[in-house]
Amino acid sequence: MTKYTGKSKVETISQPLETTQNRINDTKQDQERFQDYVELETVDSAVIDWLNIELDLSVIGENQKRIKVSIEFATQERWFKAQKEKGYRDKHGRIILPHIAVKRTGENYRQYVQRSPETDIVFSVLPSKERSSDYINSRNIPLKDNKIVYDVYQLPQPIYVEMTYDIVAQVSYLIQLNEIQTQIMGGVNQFSQYVWIKSGNYIFRTIIGQPQDQSNIDDFSDTERIIKKSFPITVNAYLIPNLGNRKD
């Protein structure tokens, strides 16, 4: 979002989104930091935040105490390794239970409008009186007739995209899987099967598909019992290009 404070002077206010390979490590303060662009990783973070923060998924453990479900954004390498090793494991080879892995499976872009000044969204905001005075005084701008200074913002047209994900839960007991399914489906609009998820100031309409059983009795052993179920979701998202320090 580019902030215009004069006819020839352009100032950009932006905060980069800090990302890591596993975006679950982002702090809540980082997530709430204002950013004026939306990238694919922003939508990924919204899915993770929905599961980890909003739903705060947990299940009853063997000692009858609640256990928080570990949540991971799986890379391609991590995903294929989990298929080969019959489940998600830690660095010592021990199965992680209960656990949820989130994998982005595709993006379907809708018709894209070529960006130009004519297609940008422009709007003005009335700042506080103190902010107007500070702005004027800091730039030695003469104030005539007590006119108010407005902030004018220019936003590029969003790029609309449908992003699909697989949410795969692995647990030890069927009752734990039932708990996770109840928590995920509990906030769904029963008429249209959607929920709203968000990352920072941006929200996305998300449709939850039919859960699919992925358990395989052949994977069971005397020491490991893994029950799996996947929840496919489709996020109706939008991307906003990062204008950086563009000068007009």
Side-chain angles (χ1 to χ4, degrees), residues 35-247:
Q35 68 177 58
D36 52 8
Y37 57 91
V38 177
E39 299 177 321
L40 294 175
E41 290 79 4
T42 310
V43 187
D44 296 342
S45 295
V47 177
I48 293 294
D49 291 350
W50 170 56
L51 296 170
N52 188 56
I53 299 176
E54 183 172 346
L55 296 182
D56 193 19
L57 296 174
S58 64
V59 297
I60 295 293
E62 295 180 355
N63 57 1
Q64 297 303 307
K65 293 183 178 180
R66 297 210 70 84
I67 306 173
K68 185 171 176 59
V69 179
S70 67
I71 300 173
E72 166 183 3
F73 190 91
T75 62
Q76 289 284 355
E77 295 80 6
R78 177 72 165 152
W79 186 270
F80 287 123
K81 186 177 181 181
Q83 308 309 307
K84 183 178 180 181
E85 296 181 346
K86 299 179 181 180
Y88 285 86
R89 301 175 183 271
D90 61 19
K91 61 181 180 180
H92 302 294
R94 294 173 298 200
I95 194 72
I96 305 174
L97 297 171
H99 181 267
I100 279 182
V102 179
K103 179 178 180 289
R104 192 201 311 157
T105 56
E107 305 96 31
N108 180 26
Y109 290 87
R110 304 180 191 176
Q111 185 175 4
Y112 173 64
V113 178
Q114 184 65 36
R115 185 175 183 274
S116 68
E118 290 75 20
T119 62
D120 283 357
I121 302 170
V122 180
F123 60 94
S124 60
V125 177
L126 178 63
S128 66
K129 181 178 179 181
E130 292 78 11
R131 187 177 175 190
S132 296
S133 300
D134 291 342
Y135 174 77
I136 294 171
N137 295 333
S138 65
R139 290 162 176 77
N140 296 319
I141 300 175
L143 184 62
K144 295 182 179 180
D145 302 326
N146 293 322
K147 290 183 178 179
I148 301 174
V149 176
Y150 287 84
D151 288 341
V152 179
Y153 295 88
Q154 183 169 339
L155 186 69
Q157 282 283 350
I159 302 169
Y160 296 100
V161 56
E162 289 184 351
M163 300 176 62
T164 55
Y165 296 83
D166 266 342
I167 300 173
V168 179
Q170 65 178 32
V171 296
S172 297
Y173 303 101
L174 181 60
I175 190 172
Q176 294 177 331
L177 193 59
N178 292 340
E179 282 191 90
I180 291 177
Q181 181 168 336
T182 300
Q183 293 173 68
I184 290 178
M185 304 301 293
V188 174
N189 184 304
Q190 298 302 313
F191 295 100
S192 51
Q193 295 293 300
Y194 74 85
V195 295
W196 291 100
I197 65 175
K198 67 177 183 177
S199 177
N201 297 305
Y202 302 100
I203 61 174
F204 310 99
R205 188 174 183 269
T206 301
I207 300 173
I208 302 179
Q210 291 297 321
Q212 301 173 0
D213 185 18
Q214 292 192 349
S215 300
N216 187 347
I217 196 171
D218 295 332
D219 294 340
F220 291 6
S221 67
D222 294 336
T223 58
E224 291 183 346
R225 173 187 174 94
I226 307 172
I227 302 175
K228 296 181 184 179
K229 181 169 283 191
S230 67
F231 302 85
I233 67 172
T234 300
V235 182
N236 295 314
Y238 47 87
L239 307 179
I240 300 176
N242 183 4
L243 298 180
N245 294 319
R246 180 177 66 87
K247 302 289 185 179

